[in-house]
Structures are given as C-alpha cells and as structure tokens.
Amino acid sequence: ATVDAGHGGADPGNPGRFFPPGVTEKTVTLQVALLLQEELVRRGITVRMTRTTDVRPNLLLRAPTCDASCDLFVSLHVDALDPRKRRDYRSVDGFTTLIIGEENSADAARVARTENEALRFESEQDQDLAGGPLAYILRDLQMNEYLRESARAGALMQANLEPVHPGTNRGVQQRNDLAVLNTGRRPAVLVEMGYSSSPSDAKYMTSKDGQRKIARALADAIVDYLLEFEWKSGVRAGGPGR
C-alpha cells in the first residue's frame, strides 16, 4: 500500500480554523500518515510513503508511486467549510472517503475544488495535464478497471472509522476530477479525516489519542481490503478447488 500525506512544504492545505496555533492540514496529514505507516509495518504490510517530512511531492506524481506491485493508494486529507459560505460551518463534522467515479455530488465537487487548489504549486504544463483531455482518458481507464475495488476500500475505511470517530459518517463519494487520484493506475481512495472547521473534529484530529485511533482504524481497513483482494485474486488465479 502507498500512504500519501496530503499537501506539505509550501502548500499548507487548509489553515485549520480550530487547530492549535501553527498547525495546518499538512501537519495533521503527516502525523497520521506516520502513525499509519507504523501500524501497517507492525502488521507485516509493505508501505510506501509519498512523504515522511514537510516536503511537497508533485500532486500528479503521488498516485503513480503505487505501481503494479502495490495494491492500494491512500491519500489523507482534512476537510473544512468556508465560514463565509456556510453560517453553520461549526456544526458540520465527520469523515468521508472519495474515489474516482461519475456520481459527482455537490459535496464531492466542493472537496475536489478545495483539494485541486494545490495544483497552483505545480508547473503550467502539469496543470494542463491535470485538466486536459489526457487526464480524462487516464481517469476513464482507471475508473473502469478499479471502481469496484476503490469503492470496496472506501467502504472499509468508513466502516472502520465509524466506531472511533466523534463525527458523522458521510459515506463514500465519487468524483471524476480529483487531481491527486486521476494519475493513478491502481485502486485509490482519498480520506477526509474530519473538518478543521468543526471544533470537535479539530480537537480529535490534533489529539494524540485521536490520531492513533484514526491510524488504527485506517490500518484495519487496509488490512481487511488486502486480505479480501488476496482471496479474490487467489480465486481468480487458481479456482476455489486448488
């Protein structure tokens, strides 16, 4: 599995309205990613990291680090509502997993707009690549091949987070223009671990206990997914009687 701590370096992600001073989205994604790496290694899973320090890998080169020998790409993020657009922003909480697909809900559209803002840190050429015809061809190829696997991985993420997360389970949502996932060639999910615009989510995501619980839940989901994936590919390869 590849674990991607969203944002980093010059790109802080969202400012984290209710995070402690100096803490932004990039801080929290890295803290949880490192704990998740620890959990997975302890369980015998080979883990690749797109970053382990405060650097900013190219947005379009993150998912391709999960190549043929990697079974799942997991990108970690923090959601936030704009207080200027939603007066009730404090009361909206919870966790969501996004995958590539055509069911573009309004909420998934909002998340895609927010996460794709990180493209401004890339070269003009890369920005064109992310939004041009090639991106749509890549996306369609990936979507047709891996939609079911990504959807299953997303469902496991949500199911495992639900018992430990104080916020609302907002389910698995599809979006066809998430730059960080569109360049991938393997099953991929983007996990929004909570809202930094919700005081309760923000407190949970920045507490040591909360981060460890999120990392454990995501590790459980990844292990469950890999076991299912192995079983299915074993059945495909050798048949149930082997």
Side-chain angles (χ1 to χ4, degrees):
T2 292
V3 176
D4 170 46
H7 308 279
D11 171 16
N14 82 61
R17 171 166 283 262
F18 292 110
F19 285 168
V23 176
T24 60
E25 179 179 3
K26 71 172 183 177
T27 325
V28 174
T29 61
L30 183 58
Q31 288 168 340
V32 177
L34 292 169
L35 289 170
L36 177 53
Q37 178 188 30
E38 204 179 285
E39 286 284 340
L40 289 170
V41 168
R42 198 163 57 75
R43 299 169 200 217
I45 306 294
T46 304
V47 187
R48 295 172 195 181
M49 304 287 283
T50 60
R51 68 182 183 101
T52 53
T53 57
D54 186 19
V55 295
R56 188 191 63 79
N58 184 305
L59 197 63
L60 308 182
L61 298 178
R62 296 182 187 223
T65 59
C66 185
D67 58 18
S69 61
C70 162
D71 294 320
L72 184 64
F73 176 78
V74 181
S75 190
L76 304 180
H77 292 261
V78 172
D79 209 339
L81 292 179
D82 186 340
R84 293 164 301 183
K85 293 180 181 168
R86 288 281 296 264
R87 292 174 101 174
D88 64 341
Y89 70 91
R90 288 167 185 255
S91 63
V92 177
D93 60 19
F95 51 99
T96 313
T97 303
L98 283 100
I99 62 171
I100 287 183
E102 293 292 1
E103 293 170 12
N104 291 323
S105 71
D107 206 43
R110 178 190 58 75
V111 172
R113 272 196 307 277
T114 306
E115 298 303 352
N116 287 347
E117 276 175 16
L119 276 169
R120 71 183 186 278
F121 293 96
E122 310 302 350
S123 68
E124 280 186 33
Q125 192 179 358
D126 278 355
Q127 289 180 33
D128 290 344
L129 187 67
L134 180 61
Y136 285 90
I137 293 166
L138 295 178
R139 186 203 76 220
D140 287 340
L141 284 171
Q142 188 216 29
M143 195 169 68
N144 292 337
E145 194 172 353
Y146 295 122
L147 179 61
R148 191 180 301 161
E149 284 89 341
S150 298
R152 180 62 188 144
L156 287 166
M157 300 286 167
Q158 293 298 113
N160 280 280
L161 280 169
E162 186 163 32
V164 301
H165 201 292
T168 310
N169 181 343
R170 299 192 169 273
V172 179
Q173 299 196 21
Q174 295 185 17
R175 189 69 206 164
N176 65 4
D177 59 355
L178 273 164
V180 71
L181 299 187
N182 277 358
T183 52
R185 275 285 166 283
R186 305 290 292 147
V189 296
L190 185 153
V191 182
E192 294 283 358
M193 302 180 287
Y195 286 80
S196 66
S197 49
S198 149
S200 55
D201 274 9
K203 189 177 176 185
Y204 182 67
M205 284 186 288
T206 51
S207 71
K208 280 198 171 135
D209 183 53
Q211 289 184 349
R212 201 158 283 287
K213 281 178 176 166
I214 291 171
R216 269 192 207 129
L218 294 177
D220 288 343
I222 291 167
V223 169
D224 287 352
Y225 172 80
L226 294 174
L227 287 171
E228 277 189 23
F229 184 85
E230 208 171 81
W231 178 79
K232 280 180 191 151
S233 47
V235 167
R236 276 203 298 266
R242 196 171 67 164

